[in-house]
mmCIF file of all heavy atoms in Angstrom:
data_model
loop_
_atom_site.group_PDB
_atom_site.id
_atom_site.type_symbol
_atom_site.label_atom_id
_atom_site.label_comp_id
_atom_site.label_asym_id
_atom_site.label_seq_id
_atom_site.Cartn_x
_atom_site.Cartn_y
_atom_site.Cartn_z
ATOM 1 N N MET M 251 -97.184 15.617 8.058
ATOM 2 C CA MET M 251 -97.733 15.861 9.398
ATOM 3 C C MET M 251 -99.156 16.428 9.330
ATOM 4 O O MET M 251 -99.453 17.280 8.516
ATOM 5 C CB MET M 251 -96.851 16.896 10.122
ATOM 6 C CG MET M 251 -95.715 16.301 10.929
ATOM 7 S SD MET M 251 -96.254 15.402 12.391
ATOM 8 C CE MET M 251 -96.842 16.773 13.427
ATOM 9 N N ARG M 296 -102.811 -0.928 19.498
ATOM 10 C CA ARG M 296 -101.527 -0.289 19.825
ATOM 11 C C ARG M 296 -100.370 -1.279 19.661
ATOM 12 O O ARG M 296 -99.328 -0.927 19.101
ATOM 13 C CB ARG M 296 -101.586 0.276 21.240
ATOM 14 C CG ARG M 296 -102.398 1.561 21.328
ATOM 15 C CD ARG M 296 -102.682 1.979 22.742
ATOM 16 N NE ARG M 296 -101.500 1.977 23.609
ATOM 17 C CZ ARG M 296 -100.631 2.985 23.723
ATOM 18 N NH1 ARG M 296 -100.806 4.087 23.017
ATOM 19 N NH2 ARG M 296 -99.594 2.887 24.525
ATOM 20 N N ILE M 325 -114.700 -8.551 -4.236
ATOM 21 C CA ILE M 325 -115.832 -8.221 -3.356
ATOM 22 C C ILE M 325 -115.400 -8.251 -1.903
ATOM 23 O O ILE M 325 -114.848 -9.254 -1.429
ATOM 24 C CB ILE M 325 -116.996 -9.222 -3.549
ATOM 25 C CG1 ILE M 325 -117.459 -9.192 -5.017
ATOM 26 C CG2 ILE M 325 -118.147 -8.907 -2.626
ATOM 27 C CD1 ILE M 325 -118.454 -10.291 -5.353
ATOM 28 N N GLY M 328 -118.306 -7.781 4.344
ATOM 29 C CA GLY M 328 -118.192 -7.555 5.778
ATOM 30 C C GLY M 328 -119.085 -6.364 6.150
ATOM 31 O O GLY M 328 -119.534 -5.637 5.279
ATOM 32 N N ILE M 340 -109.820 3.308 0.783
ATOM 33 C CA ILE M 340 -109.923 3.084 -0.644
ATOM 34 C C ILE M 340 -110.575 4.279 -1.323
ATOM 35 O O ILE M 340 -110.092 4.795 -2.333
ATOM 36 C CB ILE M 340 -110.673 1.760 -0.943
ATOM 37 C CG1 ILE M 340 -109.832 0.572 -0.468
ATOM 38 C CG2 ILE M 340 -110.996 1.637 -2.425
ATOM 39 C CD1 ILE M 340 -110.559 -0.764 -0.471
ATOM 40 N N GLY M 358 -122.628 -7.867 1.903
ATOM 41 C CA GLY M 358 -122.707 -8.343 3.303
ATOM 42 C C GLY M 358 -122.721 -7.215 4.293
ATOM 43 O O GLY M 358 -122.620 -7.438 5.506
ATOM 44 N N TYR M 372 -124.698 -8.476 -12.380
ATOM 45 C CA TYR M 372 -123.560 -7.712 -12.886
ATOM 46 C C TYR M 372 -122.311 -8.586 -13.006
ATOM 47 O O TYR M 372 -121.567 -8.493 -13.979
ATOM 48 C CB TYR M 372 -123.290 -6.539 -11.936
ATOM 49 C CG TYR M 372 -122.081 -5.715 -12.287
ATOM 50 C CD1 TYR M 372 -122.084 -4.874 -13.398
ATOM 51 C CD2 TYR M 372 -120.922 -5.800 -11.510
ATOM 52 C CE1 TYR M 372 -120.956 -4.150 -13.723
ATOM 53 C CE2 TYR M 372 -119.796 -5.060 -11.836
ATOM 54 C CZ TYR M 372 -119.816 -4.244 -12.937
ATOM 55 O OH TYR M 372 -118.694 -3.507 -13.260
ATOM 56 N N TYR M 386 -113.090 -12.388 -7.277
ATOM 57 C CA TYR M 386 -112.513 -12.801 -5.997
ATOM 58 C C TYR M 386 -113.351 -12.210 -4.872
ATOM 59 O O TYR M 386 -113.993 -11.176 -5.058
ATOM 60 C CB TYR M 386 -111.070 -12.294 -5.877
ATOM 61 C CG TYR M 386 -110.081 -13.092 -6.696
ATOM 62 C CD1 TYR M 386 -110.090 -12.999 -8.092
ATOM 63 C CD2 TYR M 386 -109.159 -13.945 -6.100
ATOM 64 C CE1 TYR M 386 -109.197 -13.738 -8.860
ATOM 65 C CE2 TYR M 386 -108.257 -14.676 -6.853
ATOM 66 C CZ TYR M 386 -108.281 -14.577 -8.246
ATOM 67 O OH TYR M 386 -107.395 -15.315 -8.990
ATOM 68 N N ALA M 400 -122.896 -13.205 6.831
ATOM 69 C CA ALA M 400 -123.028 -14.655 6.618
ATOM 70 C C ALA M 400 -124.065 -14.955 5.540
ATOM 71 O O ALA M 400 -123.870 -15.830 4.682
ATOM 72 C CB ALA M 400 -123.401 -15.330 7.929
ATOM 73 N N GLU M 419 -108.985 -20.662 -4.368
ATOM 74 C CA GLU M 419 -108.043 -19.548 -4.567
ATOM 75 C C GLU M 419 -108.735 -18.211 -4.703
ATOM 76 O O GLU M 419 -108.102 -17.171 -4.723
ATOM 77 C CB GLU M 419 -107.195 -19.811 -5.818
ATOM 78 C CG GLU M 419 -106.140 -20.855 -5.540
ATOM 79 C CD GLU M 419 -105.477 -21.355 -6.814
ATOM 80 O OE1 GLU M 419 -105.425 -20.590 -7.783
ATOM 81 O OE2 GLU M 419 -105.019 -22.513 -6.791
ATOM 82 N N VAL M 493 -102.921 15.265 21.057
ATOM 83 C CA VAL M 493 -104.127 14.475 21.337
ATOM 84 C C VAL M 493 -104.728 14.873 22.677
ATOM 85 O O VAL M 493 -105.965 14.944 22.822
ATOM 86 C CB VAL M 493 -103.790 12.956 21.293
ATOM 87 C CG1 VAL M 493 -104.881 12.139 21.955
ATOM 88 C CG2 VAL M 493 -103.596 12.526 19.837
ATOM 89 N N ALA M 509 -124.145 18.684 21.854
ATOM 90 C CA ALA M 509 -124.791 17.385 21.603
ATOM 91 C C ALA M 509 -124.302 16.723 20.313
ATOM 92 O O ALA M 509 -124.483 15.521 20.119
ATOM 93 C CB ALA M 509 -126.312 17.594 21.515
ATOM 94 N N GLY M 525 -117.438 8.393 7.582
ATOM 95 C CA GLY M 525 -118.229 7.233 8.009
ATOM 96 C C GLY M 525 -117.448 6.356 8.990
ATOM 97 O O GLY M 525 -117.991 5.856 9.970
ATOM 98 N N GLY M 541 -122.114 10.960 25.349
ATOM 99 C CA GLY M 541 -121.549 11.073 24.016
ATOM 100 C C GLY M 541 -122.125 12.220 23.194
ATOM 101 O O GLY M 541 -123.228 12.674 23.430
ATOM 102 N N LEU M 556 -127.205 21.540 4.933
ATOM 103 C CA LEU M 556 -127.092 21.634 6.384
ATOM 104 C C LEU M 556 -126.490 22.957 6.839
ATOM 105 O O LEU M 556 -126.489 23.266 8.020
ATOM 106 C CB LEU M 556 -126.243 20.483 6.921
ATOM 107 C CG LEU M 556 -126.886 19.097 6.756
ATOM 108 C CD1 LEU M 556 -125.890 18.002 7.081
ATOM 109 C CD2 LEU M 556 -128.118 18.977 7.645
ATOM 110 N N ASN M 566 -125.839 23.953 19.879
ATOM 111 C CA ASN M 566 -125.510 22.704 20.593
ATOM 112 C C ASN M 566 -124.543 21.843 19.788
ATOM 113 O O ASN M 566 -124.505 20.625 19.937
ATOM 114 C CB ASN M 566 -126.792 21.924 20.913
ATOM 115 C CG ASN M 566 -127.539 21.512 19.651
ATOM 116 O OD1 ASN M 566 -127.096 21.822 18.535
ATOM 117 N ND2 ASN M 566 -128.656 20.834 19.831
ATOM 118 N N ILE M 572 -111.992 18.715 8.306
ATOM 119 C CA ILE M 572 -110.843 17.940 7.848
ATOM 120 C C ILE M 572 -110.422 18.547 6.508
ATOM 121 O O ILE M 572 -111.153 18.417 5.511
ATOM 122 C CB ILE M 572 -111.200 16.452 7.735
ATOM 123 C CG1 ILE M 572 -111.576 15.950 9.132
ATOM 124 C CG2 ILE M 572 -110.026 15.643 7.185
ATOM 125 C CD1 ILE M 572 -112.338 14.649 9.126
ATOM 126 N N ASP M 589 -118.144 37.683 -20.193
ATOM 127 C CA ASP M 589 -118.108 37.171 -18.818
ATOM 128 C C ASP M 589 -119.529 37.026 -18.275
ATOM 129 O O ASP M 589 -119.895 37.627 -17.270
ATOM 130 C CB ASP M 589 -117.263 38.165 -17.971
ATOM 131 C CG ASP M 589 -116.985 37.633 -16.587
ATOM 132 O OD1 ASP M 589 -117.061 36.400 -16.373
ATOM 133 O OD2 ASP M 589 -116.677 38.460 -15.707
ATOM 134 N N CYS M 623 -114.991 25.274 16.518
ATOM 135 C CA CYS M 623 -114.466 24.543 15.367
ATOM 136 C C CYS M 623 -113.043 24.030 15.616
ATOM 137 O O CYS M 623 -112.166 24.792 16.023
ATOM 138 C CB CYS M 623 -114.414 25.449 14.141
ATOM 139 S SG CYS M 623 -116.026 26.069 13.607
ATOM 140 N N LEU M 626 -108.408 20.025 11.378
ATOM 141 C CA LEU M 626 -107.283 19.118 11.105
ATOM 142 C C LEU M 626 -106.823 19.352 9.673
ATOM 143 O O LEU M 626 -107.642 19.294 8.755
ATOM 144 C CB LEU M 626 -107.733 17.664 11.225
ATOM 145 C CG LEU M 626 -107.647 17.103 12.627
ATOM 146 C CD1 LEU M 626 -108.928 17.404 13.364
ATOM 147 C CD2 LEU M 626 -107.341 15.634 12.601
ATOM 148 N N VAL M 649 -108.665 8.100 24.508
ATOM 149 C CA VAL M 649 -108.398 9.101 25.539
ATOM 150 C C VAL M 649 -109.686 9.874 25.879
ATOM 151 O O VAL M 649 -110.048 10.037 27.047
ATOM 152 C CB VAL M 649 -107.274 10.066 25.069
ATOM 153 C CG1 VAL M 649 -107.151 11.277 25.997
ATOM 154 C CG2 VAL M 649 -105.941 9.317 24.980
ATOM 155 N N GLY M 676 -137.254 -16.391 14.789
ATOM 156 C CA GLY M 676 -137.454 -17.756 15.298
ATOM 157 C C GLY M 676 -136.175 -18.536 15.478
ATOM 158 O O GLY M 676 -136.159 -19.769 15.381
#
Side-chain angles (χ1 to χ4, degrees):
Chain M
M251 270 290 291
R296 284 168 49 84
I325 301 171
I340 292 170
Y372 176 73
Y386 284 71
E419 285 168 28
V493 164
L556 293 170
N566 62 0
I572 298 163
D589 189 20
C623 299
L626 273 88
V649 169

